[in-house]
Structure formats: structure tokens, C-alpha cells
Amino acid sequence: MGRPVVHFEICVADYPKHVEFYSKAFDWKIDDNNPMHYGMVTTGGEGGINGGIMKAEGFIHPYLTFYIHVDSLEDSLKTIESLGGKTVVQPMDIPGVGRTAFFKDPQGHILGLFTPAMKG
């Protein structure tokens, strides 16, 4: 069975401008009322996925990526590297949400992996 895309992320230099742009252009609901001020995007489309928007600052540059659900970040990164990809961010925790890591495919595209936190 294939691994689904479960989240997209847009990182922008001008956060307020892009929140307004995406919410008006696509009628997305964007809620950044959380401790990280991360804009949680609800697309509302049937069969679509939700995502997030955040401000590029410090060492984080603007980017666009999506996250793929996997059972094991470590095992997936080993497979990716054996196929010519490269780990760019080692697995890290997102408290209360799960774990993530980033990799480059052989062409240099950066994508995310995601494993949700265990419930219960």
C-alpha cells in the first residue's frame, strides 16, 4: 500500500500578506492561535489535505513542501538514502503531534516525512 501525503507547508517571508492571499484566493481557514503562531490551514475541500503556513525567519528560508506519512522515520530515511536521496534534517519531535524529518530526493527537492504521535 502506498504512503499518503498528509500535510503541506508554505513558508513565506511576508506572513500577513500570504495569509490574506491564500485565505481570499482559495477560501482557506487559517488559524494561528497557538503557541508557535503556526497558521493551521483548513482547506475544506472533499478529499483534500490540510496544511500550514509559517513565517520564514532566522535560518529558515521560504519554501514549499509536503509531508508523507511513514511508519518509521529511521527506516524510511535508510531506504531513501539507499535510493540516492539524502537526509537533510534528522528525526525530531513535534510535542503532542508526532515526529518529522526532511530529505532531498535525487533531483534535490526537499520533502518531509511524518509519523503521528501514538494516541492513548
Side-chain angles (χ1 to χ4, degrees):
M1 179 182 216
R3 297 290 170 190
V5 173
V6 294
H7 187 79
F8 66 84
E9 190 165 72
I10 305 168
C11 184
V12 299
D14 187 339
Y15 180 80
K17 177 180 179 177
H18 285 84
V19 166
E20 181 180 14
F21 172 83
Y22 284 107
S23 63
K24 288 182 176 179
F26 302 109
D27 198 26
W28 290 353
K29 306 290 184 265
I30 303 173
D31 180 8
D32 62 7
N33 186 20
N34 57 66
M36 295 175 56
H37 303 290
Y38 183 85
M40 297 298 295
V41 177
T42 304
T43 61
E46 186 176 325
I49 62 170
N50 295 319
I53 186 169
M54 62 185 277
K55 179 172 177 44
E57 53 191 348
F59 68 92
I60 300 175
H61 302 284
Y63 65 86
L64 172 65
T65 195
F66 60 86
Y67 292 78
I68 302 162
H69 179 276
V70 297
D71 294 328
S72 168
L73 298 175
E74 293 78 6
D75 290 347
S76 294
L77 290 170
K78 285 179 189 172
T79 299
I80 288 163
E81 289 182 2
S82 75
L83 296 169
K86 181 178 183 198
T87 300
V88 293
V89 175
Q90 292 292 326
M92 62 183 174
D93 293 333
I94 307 169
V97 177
R99 296 178 73 223
T100 191
F102 291 88
F103 70 94
K104 279 187 183 180
D105 70 10
Q107 186 68 48
H109 303 107
I110 296 177
L111 295 107
L113 300 175
F114 177 74
T115 302
M118 300 298 267
K119 301 287 183 192

